């Protein structure tokens, strides 16, 4: 007589037989034959491996329905998009790891059109001949910054690289030691400069740099002066930096251009929206900068892009750099950017129309009311396994914008009981990440905190809380 494991193994039908089952054929209809064959093979292997580990009940046969269900679950899991929507309740409005700026519907529609239909990307409709792709956004960028010329590349790191590589190849560029920053994801000003073929000349000290430090560093080998906005940290206390206008005057006395890397670079005055000031490209250009670079997907609230605005002769030289071709943006980026820039033409509507600005300006009282309204839904989802409370928190802008300026916000704090509170917080955080639309918060002092500043789609959010499974 066979032992139960051998009997159970023998009861498993062949792959070919299983692929002929009606329910499996239905799966093949939906997912295609190759994926279904792979899934069935993997499920069979898993079944056999399980039999090796623990012997089955005597006379346990092959459960066909269970097998089909397991295949279906495997296929659903494996064909799900890797890039999925999440709820950003981290308290960081522009979260680089969560895709930075959210874009308005207008931008999404423009992108869909550009993706699915031929467009005049590099084609002049008036003359009927070849055009320049950046022209679609140049008129908006010049209007919004006061610059006479503009161009667009893949991101601000590329913009800095291309500007330096064009204007200072094999030459020297003095930069203040207080501005030799690292942005998350290994963007370091000294590294970008050396890769751009530019020799960095460090001037001043970490906390204080004076005009004489720059003038002492200028030599016949100098090609430009550069200023970098220390966007993700603040030098506080006994500090000194040289303002743009003084530095521009010095550069121009030596017939050198001033390049300013603004990092974020908002196109409107944030103070008009009750937020702390962030320098605008218009201000920096008016102070005398010749080239200004900034990101498309930070405060501007558009797609990932690097914007270069400034003096037309310099912008033209940058445009002609062969590396521009390697760093150029595609039609989807241009479509989204054009739609977002157009919104800036109507500042009165901007706050409602641009998600980044809408989230940053949400009144704390409104977020507090939302937290109170949602608390019962959290409490019932936790089923007594953890406690929840509304909590006042500080949101930050993120992506290196306004590092020290935190905005008051409200959220929900969840914590487990017992002595191992910090381990429990990790488990709570994981349970929220496992929801159908993962909820990303942060853990602080043994508490899982969700800042509701960026919570939209509230109904969907509340509905899926019922799926929460706390261990
Ligand atoms: C964010 C930032 C960059 C890099 O911009 P990306 O668009 O992320 O490439 C460069 N410089 C400064 C000062 C920044 O803040």
């Amino acid at each position: 007589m066979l032992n139960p494991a051998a009997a159970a193994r023998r009861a498993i039908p062949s792959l070919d037989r299983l692929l002929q089952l009606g329910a499996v054929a239905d799966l093949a209809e939906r997912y295609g034959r190759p994926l279904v064959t792979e899934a069935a093979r993997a499920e069979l292997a898993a079944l056999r491996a399980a039999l090796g580990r623990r012997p089955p009940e005597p006379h346990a046969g092959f459960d066909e329905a269970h097998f089909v269900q397991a295949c279906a679950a495997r296929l659903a899991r494996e064909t799900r998009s890797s890039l999925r929507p999440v709820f950003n309740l981290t308290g960081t409005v522009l979260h680089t790891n969560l895709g930075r700026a959210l874009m308005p519907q207008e931008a999404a529609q423009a992108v869909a059109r550009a993706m699915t239909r031929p467009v005049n990307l590099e084609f002049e409709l008036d003359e009927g001949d070849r055009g320049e792709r950046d022209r679609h956004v140049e008129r908006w960028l010049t209007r919004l910054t006061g610059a006479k010329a503009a161009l667009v590349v893949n991101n601000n790191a590329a913009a800095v690289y291309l500007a330096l590589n064009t204007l200072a190849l094999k030459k020297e560029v003095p930069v203040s030691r207080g501005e030799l920053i690292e942005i998350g994801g290994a963007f370091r000003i000294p590294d970008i400069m050396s890769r751009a073929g530019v020799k960095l000349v460090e001037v001043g000290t970490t906390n204080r740099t004076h005009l004489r430090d720059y003038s002492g560093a200028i030599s016949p080998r100098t090609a430009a002066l550069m200023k970098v906005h220390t966007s993700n940290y603040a030098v506080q206390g006994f500090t000194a930096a040289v303002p743009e206008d003084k530095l521009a005057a010095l550069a121009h006395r030596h017939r050198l251009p001033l390049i300013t890397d603004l990092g974020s670079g908002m196109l409107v005055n944030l103070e008009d929206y009750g937020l702390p000031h962030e320098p605008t490209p218009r201000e920096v250009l008016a102070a005398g900068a010749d080239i200004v670079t900034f990101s498309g997907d930070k405060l501007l609230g558009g797609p990932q892009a690097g914007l270069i605005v400034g003096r037309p002769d310099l912008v033209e030289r940058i445009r002609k750099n062969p590396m521009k071709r390697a760093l150029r943006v595609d039609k989807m980026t241009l479509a989204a950017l054009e739609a977002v820039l157009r919104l800036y033409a109507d500042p009165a509507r901007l706050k409602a129309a641009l998600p980044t600005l809408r989230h940053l300006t949400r009144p704390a009282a409104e977020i507090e009311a939302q937290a109170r309204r949602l608390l019962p839904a959290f409490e019932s989802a936790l089923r007594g396994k953890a406690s929840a409370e509304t909590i006042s928190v500080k949101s930050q802008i993120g992506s290196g914008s306004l590092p020290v300026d935190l905005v008051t916000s409200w959220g929900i704090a969840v914590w487990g009981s017992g002595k191992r509170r910090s381990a429990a917080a990790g488990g709570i955080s994981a349970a929220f990440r496992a929801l159908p639309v993962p909820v990303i918060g942060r853990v602080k002092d043994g508490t899982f905190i969700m800042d509701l500043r960026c919570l939209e789609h509230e109904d969907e959010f509340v509905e899926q809380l019922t799926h929460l499974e706390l261990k």
Side-chain angles (χ1 to χ4, degrees):
M1 211 183 85
L2 287 170
N3 68 40
R9 218 170 291 137
R10 211 165 256 201
I12 299 177
S14 71
L15 180 64
D16 283 340
R17 282 261 320 276
L18 288 168
L19 290 176
Q20 281 158 23
L21 292 175
V24 175
D26 289 348
L27 287 176
E29 191 66 34
R30 177 151 169 220
Y31 293 103
R33 207 166 167 82
L35 288 180
V36 172
T37 307
E38 258 171 54
R41 193 172 280 135
E43 279 307 321
L44 280 182
L47 260 180
R48 293 199 179 100
L51 284 177
R53 278 195 306 275
R54 57 188 143 73
E57 307 282 308
H59 310 300
F62 176 75
D63 185 342
E64 209 172 276
H66 186 265
F67 175 82
V68 170
Q69 209 175 38
C71 285
R74 180 182 286 269
L75 284 161
R77 204 166 55 236
E78 287 179 352
T79 56
R80 184 170 69 183
S81 292
S82 169
L83 194 60
R84 292 163 63 195
V86 301
F87 283 104
N88 172 14
L89 305 191
T90 59
T92 300
V93 176
L94 294 168
H95 199 297
T96 296
N97 305 145
L98 302 182
R100 290 196 185 162
L102 302 183
M103 265 163 282
Q105 280 308 321
E106 288 92 327
Q109 280 155 8
V111 172
R113 260 198 322 270
M115 285 173 85
T116 52
R117 313 217 21 192
V119 287
N120 59 333
L121 178 63
E122 291 184 348
F123 189 79
E124 289 293 345
L125 291 172
D126 289 343
E127 286 92 44
D129 55 17
R130 194 179 183 288
E132 166 60 53
R133 64 176 61 207
D134 292 343
R135 300 280 179 238
H136 300 289
V137 293
E138 189 174 29
R139 67 195 171 106
W140 289 115
L141 284 170
T142 52
R143 178 194 158 105
L144 292 163
T145 63
K148 293 222 163 52
L151 62 84
V152 191
V153 286
N154 180 59
N155 57 12
N156 189 33
V160 173
Y161 170 88
L162 199 62
L164 286 168
N165 179 262
T166 307
L167 304 178
L169 184 62
K170 298 192 180 132
K171 296 269 187 73
E172 295 179 357
V173 175
V175 182
S176 163
R177 287 197 170 88
E179 298 174 1
L180 294 176
I181 55 166
E182 172 181 314
I183 318 275
F187 173 93
R188 287 176 159 190
I189 289 288
D191 296 344
I192 289 279
M193 292 182 80
S194 82
R195 287 292 166 147
V198 172
K199 184 164 189 308
L200 162 67
V201 178
E202 299 183 19
V203 302
T205 61
T206 306
N207 59 329
R208 290 174 71 82
T209 300
H210 306 279
L211 195 62
R212 60 175 184 274
D213 296 323
Y214 288 98
S215 51
I218 294 175
S219 79
R221 295 176 303 278
T222 309
L225 297 188
M226 185 176 185
K227 193 164 173 64
V228 183
H229 277 260
T230 54
S231 49
N232 59 352
Y233 78 108
V235 182
Q236 281 174 330
F238 185 56
T239 65
V242 181
E244 230 87 30
D245 55 346
K246 297 263 172 21
L247 202 54
L250 176 68
H252 297 161
R253 270 204 302 284
H254 291 270
R255 304 178 144 270
L256 298 170
L258 172 63
I259 303 170
T260 295
D261 174 20
L262 258 190
S264 210
M266 185 47 162
L267 292 171
V268 291
N269 186 355
L270 280 183
E271 283 166 324
D272 294 347
Y273 299 88
L275 289 165
H277 184 77
E278 171 80 12
T280 64
R282 183 184 289 280
E283 287 165 8
V284 176
L285 287 167
D290 301 283
I291 287 292
V292 179
T293 68
F294 53 104
S295 281
D297 57 352
K298 291 186 180 172
L299 280 172
L300 195 148
Q304 178 188 304
L307 310 177
I308 304 176
V309 298
R311 248 171 63 190
D313 57 324
L314 302 181
V315 170
E316 215 36 54
R317 278 173 60 195
I318 298 171
R319 198 191 306 280
K320 294 210 170 89
N321 186 325
M323 282 303 288
K324 165 70 163 63
R325 170 63 190 249
L327 302 172
R328 72 182 186 185
V329 293
D330 70 352
K331 58 187 177 177
M332 292 180 270
T333 299
L334 285 169
L337 189 57
E338 184 187 17
V340 168
L341 291 174
R342 196 166 50 204
L343 296 176
Y344 278 89
D346 186 0
R349 276 192 50 226
L350 196 60
K351 199 166 93 172
L354 200 63
T356 300
L357 200 54
R358 183 166 75 233
H359 291 157
L360 283 173
T361 55
R362 258 189 97 191
E366 184 190 307
I367 308 171
E368 182 182 2
Q370 186 180 34
R372 295 198 189 289
R373 184 165 72 239
L374 296 190
L375 184 62
F378 279 94
E379 282 169 335
S380 78
L382 295 172
R383 296 190 198 90
K385 290 182 183 157
S387 314
E389 209 168 63
T390 61
I391 179 176
S392 171
V393 291
K394 298 275 189 198
S395 314
Q396 57 185 36
I397 298 177
S399 285
S401 308
L402 303 167
V404 284
D405 296 306
L406 300 172
V407 206
T408 299
S409 184
W410 281 81
I412 304 284
V414 178
W415 66 94
S417 49
K419 280 197 283 290
R420 298 183 60 247
R421 183 164 157 170
S422 55
I428 294 167
S429 171
F432 277 90
R433 281 201 310 278
L435 284 169
V437 181
V439 173
I440 319 292
R442 64 195 149 100
V443 171
K444 194 180 168 215
D445 303 332
T447 305
F448 179 60
I449 296 172
M450 289 160 278
D451 181 334
L452 302 188
R453 173 169 294 279
C454 298
L455 178 57
E456 290 185 345
H457 308 104
E458 187 180 307
D459 292 345
E460 178 193 86
F461 180 81
V462 170
E463 202 175 281
Q464 71 152 2
L465 278 183
T466 56
H467 294 286
L468 191 74
E469 278 182 50
L470 280 186
K471 300 263 154 41

